């Protein structure tokens, strides 16, 4: 079954950067609700209009809006392995996600928490920017393009910074994370689906730690989702039915043998 991975972690932990690497390394599809909402804001769609001021203030967009935006994307990629970046962010969203996945006959494979120190996140976020063409991420001090002003990945020459990547907004986004999103760590731990990764190291080190968890063998052997009650019941039913057929065949044979006087 195509895996469904969740990346948890405060803003600046590197969820977006690592999700893009997991796309390259494992052929997963990144689903970032932040990207979806920014696109909605840019096109001025109803969801975008409703989300704009909340995003600028560093708050969380309502569960209904963000879940509707995600559901639309999810519907188009039923068979692909996915890496969720920035969703779920509340308990209500985690439950909504379960519902969306169940409707597709799949379930969460693992939630991976990127563990970082809050204090370092403000520096990380305030210095980050991306290529306007391909979205490759950079940082003023930690990761500048090899050739100044030219994207390493696509050669693009235009870069952009997010409107909400300011020191003031980051404090509010961190507060929203601790109040509403951090409880999801306990939620997924309680279901035996949590993995934790120390994410204060270099991008390459974190990528390696994630690969050890996400590597196809590890994922399918250690973290395949538990079968649903319905699937378990169907397996039992199939077993009982098959067993009954065997018994009926045996009885038929005995009857035939009796009639032929062979016992
Ligand atoms: P991100 O790019 O994931 O940092 O998200 C940027 C902003 O989009 C957040 O600060 C929120 O305002 C909003 N956002 C993204 N995903 C969600 C979500 N799952 N629930 C609520 N708000 C979200």
């Amino acid at each position: 079954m195509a895996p469904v991975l969740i990346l948890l972690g405060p803003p600046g932990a590197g969820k977006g950067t690592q999700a893009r690497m997991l796309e390259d390394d494992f052929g997963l599809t990144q689903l970032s609700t932040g990207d979806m909402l920014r696109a909605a804001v840019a096109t001025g769609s109803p969801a975008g209009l409703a989300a704009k001021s909340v995003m600028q203030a560093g708050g969380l967009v309502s569960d209904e809006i963000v879940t509707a935006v995600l559901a639309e994307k999810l519907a188009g990629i039923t068979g692909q392995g996915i890496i969720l970046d920035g969703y779920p962010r509340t308990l209500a969203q985690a439950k909504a996600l379960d519902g969306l996945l169940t409707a597709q006959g799949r379930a969460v494979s693992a939630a991976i928490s990127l563990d970082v120190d809050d204090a370092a996140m403000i520096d990380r976020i305030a210095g980050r920017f991306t290529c306007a063409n391909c979205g490759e991420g950079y940082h003023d001090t930690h990761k500048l393009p090899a050739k100044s002003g030219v994207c390493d990945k696509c050669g693009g020459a235009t870069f952009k910074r997010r409107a909400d990547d300011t020191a003031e907004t980051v404090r509010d986004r961190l507060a929203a994370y601790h109040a509403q999103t951090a409880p999801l760590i306990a939620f997924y731990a309680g279901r035996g689906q949590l993995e934790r990764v120390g994410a204060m190291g270099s991008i390459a080190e974190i990528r390696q730690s994630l690969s050890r968890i996400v590597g196809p063998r590890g994922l399918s052997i250690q973290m395949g989702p538990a079968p649903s009650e319905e699937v378990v019941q169907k397996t039992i039913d199939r077993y009982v039915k098959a067993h009954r057929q065997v018994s009926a065949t045996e009885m038929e044979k005995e009857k035939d043998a009796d009639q032929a006087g062979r016992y």
Side-chain angles (χ1 to χ4, degrees):
M1 199 187 302
V4 178
L5 298 169
I6 295 168
L7 280 186
L8 293 171
K15 299 187 296 296
T17 304
Q18 296 297 336
R20 289 165 67 86
M21 291 183 172
L22 290 171
E23 284 197 306
D24 292 346
D25 294 348
F26 296 104
L28 298 169
T29 298
Q30 175 198 19
L31 290 181
S32 155
T33 43
D35 285 349
M36 292 171 207
L37 290 169
R38 278 185 287 280
V41 169
T43 56
S45 72
L49 292 176
K52 190 174 179 179
S53 57
V54 182
M55 289 172 76
Q56 270 171 356
L60 290 189
V61 174
S62 78
D63 292 331
E64 291 73 23
I65 290 177
V66 74
T67 301
V69 167
L70 175 78
E72 199 183 320
K73 276 271 173 346
L74 206 56
I77 53 162
T78 48
Q80 284 172 35
I82 55 178
I83 176 89
L84 284 160
D85 155 17
Y87 188 101
R89 261 176 157 99
T90 64
L91 209 51
Q93 290 179 19
K95 290 179 180 166
L97 176 65
D98 283 342
L100 291 173
L101 293 174
T102 303
Q104 292 191 350
R106 53 179 168 170
V108 170
S109 313
I112 306 169
S113 168
L114 299 182
D115 294 339
V116 290
D117 299 337
D118 270 18
M121 294 307 100
I122 296 174
D123 162 66
R124 270 202 199 173
I125 291 183
R128 71 186 182 181
F129 60 98
T130 54
C131 169
N133 179 46
C134 74
E136 182 69 0
Y138 295 96
H139 191 278
D140 290 329
T141 44
H142 311 305
K143 189 192 164 198
L144 283 166
K147 185 168 173 222
S148 176
V150 181
C151 175
D152 297 343
K153 202 164 184 182
C154 75
T158 318
F159 297 87
K160 58 183 186 181
R161 286 176 197 265
R162 280 172 45 173
D164 60 349
D165 274 355
T166 61
E168 307 79 66
T169 313
V170 173
R171 282 179 229 285
D172 292 334
R173 287 161 63 198
L174 282 170
Y177 173 78
H178 286 292
Q180 290 165 278
T181 310
L184 293 181
I185 293 175
F187 175 76
Y188 287 110
R191 295 190 351 182
Q193 293 176 317
L194 185 74
E195 292 283 334
R196 302 193 85 132
V197 167
M200 289 305 295
S202 69
I203 291 173
E205 283 164 355
I206 303 164
R207 181 184 200 168
Q208 240 181 12
S209 307
L210 280 172
S211 293
R212 281 197 285 272
I213 293 172
V214 178
R217 248 181 87 246
L219 188 68
S220 57
I221 292 174
Q222 294 167 19
M223 303 196 297
S228 67
E229 275 175 33
E230 194 191 345
V231 170
V232 171
Q233 191 55 52
K234 272 193 186 146
T235 310
I236 295 171
D237 290 346
R238 223 180 301 132
Y239 172 80
V240 170
K241 204 168 149 207
H243 189 72
R244 247 197 245 120
Q245 274 168 0
V246 170
S247 307
T249 313
E250 289 299 326
M251 276 161 59
E252 225 25 72
K253 268 197 213 150
E254 279 173 20
K255 210 167 96 195
D256 287 347
D258 264 0
Q259 281 168 355
R262 276 180 280 171
Y263 281 98

